[in-house]
Amino acid sequence: MKQKQMAILMTMTISIFLCMLDTTVMNIALPAIQTGLHTDLDTLQWALNVYTIAFAAFTIPLGRIADQFGRNKVYFAGLILFLLGSLTSASSSTVAILIIGRALQSIGAAIVFPASMTIGINSVQLNKRNTAVLILGITQGLAAAFGPTIGGLLTQFCGWRGIFYINVPLVLLAAIMCVALLPMKNENIVKAKLDISGMCLVILLLFSLTLALVKASAWGWTSGKILSLFAGFVIALILFIWRESMASDPMIRLHLFKYRHFTGAVVMTVLSGILFVGVMVLMPSFFTKIQGHTELEAALMITPASIMVFLLSPVSGLLLKKMGARQLIALGIVLLGLGYVGLSVMNPRIYWQFAISCILIGTGYGIIIGPITVLSAGDFTGELLTASQSVTGVFRQIGTVLAVAIFVSALSTNLATAKAQVWSAARNEVKKLSVIQTRQKHIMIMMTNKSLANRTKAAEFLWKWLINKKIHGDILKISLEYAARNWYDTSKNGVRSVINF
């Protein structure tokens, strides 16, 4: 591979890394951002969701526009837009400005991602193509894998604004290399009409689906809003398929899905994304919100998965030539499954048990990401290559959205259930409460038994304080009930807020 070709390929890996990094880097910093901007978590979630929703909704139409106006010029414009979004997010003083910044980032990413894939693949000779595809695919996996770890480290040492400022030098580097390496004039363009109807329909159907999945746990799966969004998705999908089958210059060439290797790659992209991103998003929240660890500690605790992706991704490229893509993907799925079996039977208080599952999941995903990207590209060229990478990118985002919707929804539901159990049990005990200290001690034992969430040490901490201060009667009842309302987070900070009350 020539030096210029390698330089172009490396430029595209930087761009892809940035786009995929920002899908997961922000999750672990949410508590710090919430404190810094003095907002509630429900509002702040939109800063997270707007990136995923807009990235998924606009990738295909903007990838198509890049083909028609010149990939290099549009790619450069996407980098500038991503830079503006990063600076706006980093300097935001309110959550509204942060959401605007993230929206700009997502539009920039929706331009940069498909253009980077196509430019990178087309920059090398045909016999080096699989190597280029593998490098670009591995970059995507590494960015998703290291997102929470990088987010935790930056939040701990640079503050939450650091997760956005880190983009600035990398975007500037990619932009300088773009100008130096890529021709901006006389580009090969696709002379075709812009499918405005198809563009609007694909944006509508993907926006409806991603918004429904993201907000289902908050609004309720059977609520009118969610059912309306799913209905809108189905209607838009039917109209989109009809429109694309009739259009002379469709937004997506539907016959892509006639290729078994492409359809299989898309399915595996979604499945592996759900299984990997689910753990990388859920477990930092569990470690920080439930077990009381810092963002840095949580980031380091999930690092074994990231390390395995880093180590196994290049190895999968070597194995690909010997075993074949399908065999490697099957092996990766088996390892992901074993990791989830481990998670289902582990004791969350014993870290080494989680670490083993984490290693299995990271190994499985690290083996899969390269072969999936190679399969999705196949032997496509020109418009079909751009379309294949745009569609694969969209389904990768759908996998991320599904992971967040499924796992965060499950965590929220379990926390709500545990909170309700604590509240109910506390009220029952309050009714039987006596001011005699021996009775108080008995209630303390009841409050830490197995029927309540996590056998929390916070309960014992609070009770000892109440007894030492000789608080009794109505104040003790109120304190117990107030504590029960808030004991879904087992950190002692929550208990101290009860004491302040």
Side-chain angles (χ1 to χ4, degrees):
M1 198 178 293
K2 297 178 181 178
Q3 286 186 344
K4 183 176 180 180
Q5 293 174 338
M6 181 57 72
I8 292 173
L9 191 60
M10 290 303 101
T11 303
M12 298 306 111
T13 60
I14 293 171
S15 305
I16 289 171
F17 187 86
L18 286 170
C19 295
M20 301 308 298
L21 179 70
D22 273 65
T23 60
T24 57
V25 73
M26 186 178 166
N27 300 65
I28 203 166
L30 287 178
I33 299 173
Q34 183 181 359
T35 302
L37 296 182
H38 308 290
T39 186
D40 60 274
L41 193 57
D42 286 340
T43 304
L44 185 58
Q45 285 286 352
W46 281 105
L48 188 66
N49 297 335
V50 70
Y51 187 89
T52 307
I53 292 172
F55 193 175
F58 288 99
T59 293
I60 292 174
L62 291 176
R64 183 69 169 163
I65 288 173
D67 280 345
Q68 297 184 3
F69 290 90
R71 294 190 195 107
N72 298 343
K73 291 190 289 288
V74 175
Y75 164 77
F76 183 79
L79 285 175
I80 300 303
L81 197 57
F82 191 88
L83 175 63
L84 291 174
S86 298
L87 289 171
T88 302
S89 300
S91 59
S92 56
S93 56
T94 66
V95 70
I97 296 175
L98 177 61
I99 292 171
I100 292 171
R102 289 286 286 173
L104 289 173
Q105 270 190 312
S106 66
I107 301 301
I111 295 172
V112 168
F113 177 78
S116 297
M117 291 296 295
T118 307
I119 293 169
I121 294 170
N122 285 334
S123 68
V124 301
Q125 304 100 319
L126 194 59
N127 63 340
K128 299 290 185 181
R129 178 170 167 163
N130 277 359
T131 301
V133 172
L134 197 62
I135 291 171
L136 296 171
I138 288 171
T139 301
Q140 296 174 41
L142 289 175
F146 280 98
T149 303
I150 293 171
L153 291 170
L154 288 172
T155 302
Q156 185 75 20
F157 295 110
C158 305
W160 65 265
R161 298 182 190 276
I163 65 176
F164 302 113
Y165 278 128
I166 192 66
N167 294 334
V168 175
L170 294 175
V171 173
L172 290 176
L173 175 62
I176 292 169
M177 293 179 73
C178 170
V179 173
L181 297 170
L182 299 176
M184 296 293 172
K185 296 180 179 180
N186 302 319
E187 290 188 69
N188 293 324
I189 60 174
V190 177
K191 294 181 179 179
K193 294 180 180 178
L194 197 60
D195 184 11
I196 301 296
S197 299
M199 184 188 302
C200 294
L201 286 169
V202 78
I203 290 172
L204 177 61
L205 72 89
L206 288 173
F207 179 82
S208 300
L209 176 63
T210 50
L211 181 59
L213 293 173
V214 165
K215 299 303 293 182
S217 60
W219 294 346
W221 286 95
T222 58
S223 66
K225 292 180 181 178
I226 296 300
L227 293 177
S228 297
L229 285 170
F230 279 125
F233 162 72
V234 172
I235 293 169
L237 178 61
I238 293 170
L239 291 174
F240 177 74
I241 293 172
W242 172 79
R243 167 62 191 172
E244 297 305 279
S245 64
M246 301 292 290
S248 57
D249 295 304
M251 177 64 59
I252 298 176
R253 299 191 179 279
L254 297 179
H255 68 269
L256 271 174
F257 292 95
K258 293 180 181 179
Y259 295 93
R260 291 174 57 191
H261 64 84
F262 177 77
T263 304
V266 165
V267 172
M268 286 298 103
T269 295
V270 175
L271 180 60
S272 61
I274 291 172
L275 294 176
F276 183 75
V277 175
V279 171
M280 301 304 283
V281 169
L282 177 70
M283 294 313 296
S285 297
F286 177 81
F287 290 139
T288 54
K289 294 180 181 179
I290 308 303
Q291 294 191 340
H293 293 284
T294 65
E295 286 84 0
L296 177 60
E297 290 170 341
L300 295 176
M301 290 170 81
I302 61 170
T303 298
S306 304
I307 291 174
M308 295 313 296
V309 173
F310 177 75
L311 294 176
L312 269 297
S313 297
V315 174
S316 71
L318 300 174
L319 294 175
L320 185 60
K321 298 177 182 178
K322 297 181 179 180
M323 293 179 61
R326 290 170 178 81
Q327 289 79 2
L328 275 178
I329 291 172
L331 175 60
I333 290 295
V334 169
L335 291 172
L336 283 168
L338 289 175
Y340 269 81
V341 170
L343 288 177
S344 67
V345 299
M346 75 170 186
N347 182 341
R349 295 183 181 277
I350 303 176
Y351 176 69
W352 67 263
Q353 295 183 8
F354 167 74
I356 291 175
S357 297
C358 207
I359 289 170
L360 286 170
I361 290 169
T363 302
Y365 189 70
I367 289 174
I368 282 175
I369 53 176
I372 282 178
T373 312
V374 170
L375 280 180
S376 69
D379 296 323
F380 299 137
T381 58
E383 291 180 71
L384 280 180
L385 177 60
T386 301
S388 70
Q389 296 311 299
S390 295
V391 172
T392 304
V394 167
F395 277 97
R396 184 171 284 106
Q397 292 307 307
I398 290 174
T400 300
V401 173
L402 282 169
V404 172
I406 293 169
F407 289 94
V408 174
S409 174
L411 178 63
S412 299
T413 301
N414 288 340
L415 289 178
T417 301
K419 182 180 177 181
Q421 289 175 345
V422 172
W423 174 229
S424 176
R427 287 180 66 87
N428 291 336
E429 294 302 331
V430 167
K431 292 177 182 177
K432 300 182 288 183
L433 191 62
S434 169
V435 295
I436 301 173
Q437 286 196 1
T438 55
R439 182 58 175 162
Q440 293 175 3
K441 190 173 182 179
H442 172 69
I443 300 300
M444 180 189 75
I445 295 171
M446 292 294 293
M447 286 298 294
T448 55
N449 76 12
K450 206 169 183 177
S451 67
L452 298 178
N454 298 320
R455 294 203 284 184
T456 174
K457 292 181 180 179
E460 184 177 358
F461 180 84
L462 174 63
W463 273 100
K464 285 180 179 179
W465 188 89
L466 291 171
I467 291 171
N468 289 338
K469 294 293 184 180
K470 296 182 180 180
I471 294 178
H472 53 79
D474 291 338
I475 296 177
L476 184 57
K477 291 181 183 180
I478 293 170
S479 298
L480 180 59
E481 292 190 4
Y482 187 87
R485 286 179 183 269
N486 292 278
W487 273 350
Y488 57 93
D489 183 347
T490 60
S491 67
K492 290 185 178 181
N493 291 334
V495 178
R496 290 195 178 96
S497 70
V498 176
I499 293 172
N500 290 337
F501 171 84

